[in-house]
């Protein structure tokens, strides 16, 4: 998706800011995707283990986990800003790629 932009700055500095912000938002989106998958795997594994030993978390325990562990992580993960300068290394371009999926498994 492309969007036009305008600026009153007479130099090219605004272009690098847009590139940094774009890379940061792309990287944050990928990290949120990985986080959601890992959270699901963790919940699944904990439910399987607890069921195997004959117990389960109550609804209140799930609520406390979500309120005090998951929500703060979500908030801080979404508030990360761009790096101070552009780097040569580009972020991943595809969500379903070997690099992204292997980082979840490892």
């Amino acid at each position: 998706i492309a969007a036009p932009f305008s600026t009153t700055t007479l130099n090219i500095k605004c272009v690098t800011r847009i590139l940094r912000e774009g890379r940061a938002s792309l990287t944050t989106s990928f990290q949120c995707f990985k986080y959601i998958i890992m959270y699901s795997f963790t919940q699944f594994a904990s439910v399987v283990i607890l069921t195997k030993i004959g117990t389960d978390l109550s609804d209140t325990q799930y609520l406390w986990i979500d309120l005090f562990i998951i929500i703060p992580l979500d908030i801080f993960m979404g508030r990360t800003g761009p790096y101070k300068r552009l780097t040569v290394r580009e972020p991943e371009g595809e969500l379903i790629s070997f690099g992204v999926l292997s980082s979840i498994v490892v």
Side-chain angles (χ1 to χ4, degrees), residues 28-98:
T28 302
S29 297
F30 283 4
Q31 294 303 321
C32 289
F33 171 74
K34 291 182 203 180
Y35 174 74
I36 290 169
I37 288 178
M38 290 307 299
Y39 176 64
S40 300
F41 285 161
T42 305
Q43 286 283 35
F44 174 72
S46 65
V47 167
V48 167
I49 291 168
L50 289 173
T51 304
K52 185 157 179 76
I53 63 173
T55 187
D56 196 11
L57 291 173
S58 68
D59 290 339
T60 308
Q61 289 170 320
Y62 281 115
L63 177 67
W64 285 107
I65 290 170
D66 286 345
L67 285 177
F68 294 107
I69 297 174
I70 305 306
I71 291 177
L73 283 173
D74 290 340
I75 290 170
F76 289 122
M77 220 166 63
R79 293 184 54 83
T80 56
Y83 192 62
K84 294 176 182 57
R85 62 182 175 83
L86 282 174
T87 60
V88 177
R89 183 174 176 268
E90 294 180 5
E92 287 284 337
E94 297 178 11
L95 188 58
I96 307 297
S97 67
F98 179 75

